[in-house]
Structure formats: structure tokens, C-alpha cells
Amino acid sequence: MAMNLHGRHFLTLLDFSSAEIRYLLDLSEKLKADKRAGIRAKNLEGMSIALIFEKPSTRTRCAFVTACVDEGAHPEYLEGKDLRLGVKESTADVARVLGRMFDGIEFRGFAHETAEDLAKWAGVPVWNGLTDRYHPTQVLADFLTVRENFGANLRGFPFTYVGDGRNNVANSLMIGAAKTGMDFRIGAPASLHPEEALVDRCRKIAADTGGKITITDSVQSAVKGSLAIYTDVWASMGEEDKIPERIAALKAYRVTAEMMAMTGEAETIFLHCLPCFHDTSTEVGRKFPDICEATDEVFEGLQSRVFDQAENRLHTIKAVMVATLGR
Ligand code: CP
Ligand code: NVA
């Protein structure tokens, strides 16, 4: 079904209905097929897009840039340290300046309130490329990957997230799962469970969509019967000083071949937003050999879909821009 999302911001999936999320996934699928067929619709021809990054990025930045170029827009990368939002100039003032020059603004940064302030003042669509609280474009790519493996109906789909259960990715997955009616579980120690208010809100949404939200510290009950096991880094950007305490809290939640087998399902896939610690080929991985949230065996194994997810960032981010701004 066609939907009119023109002019909308994309800050959190809480702002989108189940049907709108389904529409964005359908559009992503179409844009992916079009790209494979060599079709470029140039839906953003002649537009200029500001890409603000207070935190580093590989996938999100590259997805926005390639999506802009595919659709005929000019992407302009703006480093957070140059803009200094709220340091030398208020976010409201910068937003009004950027809104006079750009047709859309992507923001990746720390405080979610900065994304909200940009949206309030810019006068053009603002898209959340990750804040401390949410990472909604990631979840569209994750759900597109699930659809590619298990079909388009996500209602009742058993999906497990293990690890830091209160980070931006976990929050956004829980919201997306509630909206799409999944049987969603978080397996995490009590100290890293999501905020109760957000869980309550998601349970209320799930009551309408046929979904279910389970928060538990038991790996066994979180993964039983699950068809997707998802994890993320144990210390998110800006939390690097917490690495030792997170290793202690989360080592029992590392995704291993044994955990994958504990689902009792042969078809279970492994998902991760990336970047992922899974071996000692990185400086951080060598400094903290126990930091890995998934074993190399799982990461490189046949059940892993992590690079499909990474590619799907492009198609889903393109869908968000085309739906909210395209001609
Ligand atoms: N998954 C993700 O957002 O990756 P980047 O931090 O590289 O953008
Ligand atoms: N939770 C991670 C996600 C990275 C894509 C972080 O915020 O660092």
C-alpha cells in the first residue's frame, strides 16, 4: 500500500505506525531490486543533504552518501566538532541555517534531544543516524534482512537480542518489534535491562499488534525457539571507560555456537549491526581479548547474515529519504 510520509522526520520508530514501517520495508525491497537491475529513479535529483556526524561511522555515513548519489542528490559531510552544536551556536540557530540551504539533514550524535531540536527548527526532514537513545535506520535494515530470510510477515517472529539490553540498538529493536508484532526477547543481566517506561510503552504497542516483549536475564529462555539472535557491542560509543565492567557483566551473554544451538532451531540466523568484536584483529580486541560479544565461529559461520544487514543499510536509508523527501 502506498503511504504519504512526505515531510516527516525520522527520529524514532515510535513515531511510525506498523503500516508505515511495513511500507518503508516494502519500498526498501523495491529500491534494492531497482539498484540491482541498474534502475536509478533519481528521486532526489538536484537536492542537497547535510550529514552531521558527532560520532564516527562507516556504514551509516556510506549508506547516506551512496543513497544520495544513487538518487541524484549532493551529500555534504559535516563533522560535529566543526559545527559545535550547542557549544558556540545553539542547535536551534544551526538548524535554521542548515534548513535554508539543505533539503534534508541526517544527524548522528550523543543526545537524542539534539536530533529533536534540529527537527523542531530546521524546517526540512531530519533523519536520526544514531543517538545515545535510538538507532532506527539500523532496525529497518535488520528487519529487511529477516524478511529476506523468513518472508515478509514479521508477526509472531521469534527474535532475540542478547547483551547490553539498554543501548540505542536494543531500544530501537524493541520498538520495531512491538510495532511489527514480533515475539521479541532481550536476554541481559538485570543491570542492563531496558528502561521500564520504554518496556511498558512497547508492551502497550505489542498488545495491539499481536506482539510479545520478554525481558529476562536467562539466556536459555531468551533464545529458546528463536529464529534470529542479535547482539551489539558491550560498550557503545562514548562508553569506552566501561569496557572492563561490561566484560564482567556480559561474558555469559556472548553469542557462541552453543547459544545458537540452544534455540533448538536449525534455521536460526545471527545478526549484528557492526562493528563487531569477534577476534583479536583490532587494537581494542587485542587490548581486551575478552571483549568479543560473538565468537569468530558464529560471526564467520553459515548462520551469519551480518554483511547482508550492512548492505541493507543502504537500501533502507534510501527508502527513508525517498519516502520523506522524494519527488
Ligand atoms: N551499524 C552502524 O551504524 O555502523 P556505523 O557505526 O559504521 O555507521
Ligand atoms: N550501540 C552501538 C551501535 C553502533 C552502530 C553504539 O552506539 O556504539
Side-chain angles (χ1 to χ4, degrees):
M1 197 195 352
M3 292 263 161
N4 184 0
L5 302 185
H6 208 262
R8 295 266 294 273
H9 302 298
F10 189 80
L11 301 185
T12 161
L13 293 171
L14 286 167
D15 298 338
F16 288 79
S17 70
S18 307
E20 288 168 343
I21 292 170
R22 202 173 317 119
Y23 166 70
L24 286 171
L25 293 171
D26 290 345
L27 180 61
S28 308
E29 222 161 66
K30 181 191 171 324
L31 292 170
K32 182 171 183 176
D34 283 355
K35 176 151 176 147
R36 294 258 158 101
I39 301 165
R40 306 281 193 282
K42 301 283 176 203
N43 287 299
L44 307 175
E45 185 94 68
M47 296 188 186
S48 291
I49 306 298
L51 306 177
I52 305 174
F53 283 84
E54 289 182 337
K55 291 177 179 174
S57 165
T58 300
R59 282 142 288 267
T60 309
R61 176 178 177 178
C62 295
F64 270 101
V65 167
T66 48
C68 281
V69 172
D70 282 353
E71 294 297 330
H74 167 82
E76 187 65 30
Y77 181 76
L78 302 165
E79 252 193 85
K81 71 171 166 43
D82 295 334
L83 282 183
R84 294 175 299 163
L85 289 170
V87 179
K88 177 105 189 281
E89 194 169 14
S90 72
T91 303
D93 292 358
V94 174
R96 282 175 285 182
V97 172
L98 296 181
R100 297 285 182 111
M101 301 188 192
F102 291 95
D103 299 285
I105 300 171
E106 177 275 354
F107 173 75
R108 163 172 290 200
F110 293 89
H112 187 69
E113 292 69 26
T114 308
E116 291 176 335
D117 281 348
L118 284 169
K120 182 170 170 198
W121 291 100
V124 298
V126 173
W127 308 297
N128 179 0
L130 178 150
T131 59
D132 286 346
R133 196 163 171 74
Y134 300 123
H135 195 8
T137 62
Q138 177 68 50
V139 171
L140 292 181
D142 304 335
F143 288 5
L144 180 60
T145 310
V146 169
R147 280 170 52 144
E148 289 171 344
N149 284 273
F150 298 99
N153 183 10
L154 300 179
R155 206 181 162 131
F157 183 82
F159 188 112
T160 301
Y161 175 94
V162 286
D164 177 5
R166 37 138 297 280
N167 74 11
N168 41 19
V169 170
N171 286 343
S172 287
L173 281 170
M174 180 166 67
I175 297 163
K179 294 268 179 180
T180 54
M182 287 185 180
D183 168 7
F184 179 77
R185 309 98 179 260
I186 287 183
S191 59
L192 294 170
H193 280 183
E195 238 176 55
E196 233 170 82
L198 185 61
V199 176
D200 288 347
R201 198 162 167 193
C202 287
R203 287 205 169 116
K204 283 200 181 85
I205 296 167
D208 284 339
T209 60
K212 190 175 163 200
I213 308 290
T214 306
I215 314 294
T216 174
D217 60 2
S218 156
V219 169
Q220 199 157 13
S221 43
V223 306
K224 191 168 185 289
S226 200
L227 289 172
I229 295 191
Y230 193 121
T231 193
D232 184 11
V233 287
W234 290 348
S236 287
M237 289 181 271
E239 295 184 332
E240 288 74 10
D241 58 325
K242 294 197 163 63
I243 288 177
E245 70 184 71
R246 291 289 168 78
I247 291 174
L250 287 168
K251 57 183 189 296
Y253 296 84
R254 176 174 297 136
V255 183
T256 60
E258 293 71 39
M259 189 195 283
M260 296 297 290
M262 273 165 67
T263 62
E265 300 287 340
E267 306 298 310
T268 304
I269 59 173
F270 170 66
L271 299 172
H272 193 302
C273 52
L274 306 183
C276 173
F277 292 113
H278 57 93
D279 61 16
T280 49
S281 64
T282 61
E283 274 176 33
V284 179
R286 280 190 291 279
K287 187 166 174 205
F288 301 100
D290 282 333
I291 199 179
C292 63
E293 64 269 16
T295 62
D296 204 40
E297 185 184 10
V298 170
F299 184 89
E300 298 290 355
L302 288 174
Q303 290 160 290
S304 175
R305 298 291 181 276
V306 297
F307 295 108
D308 292 337
Q309 277 175 277
E311 180 193 331
N312 284 339
R313 301 298 309 287
L314 163 62
H315 310 298
T316 45
I317 280 171
K318 190 188 283 180
V320 169
M321 287 198 290
V322 166
T324 55
L325 192 60
R327 299 182 202 292

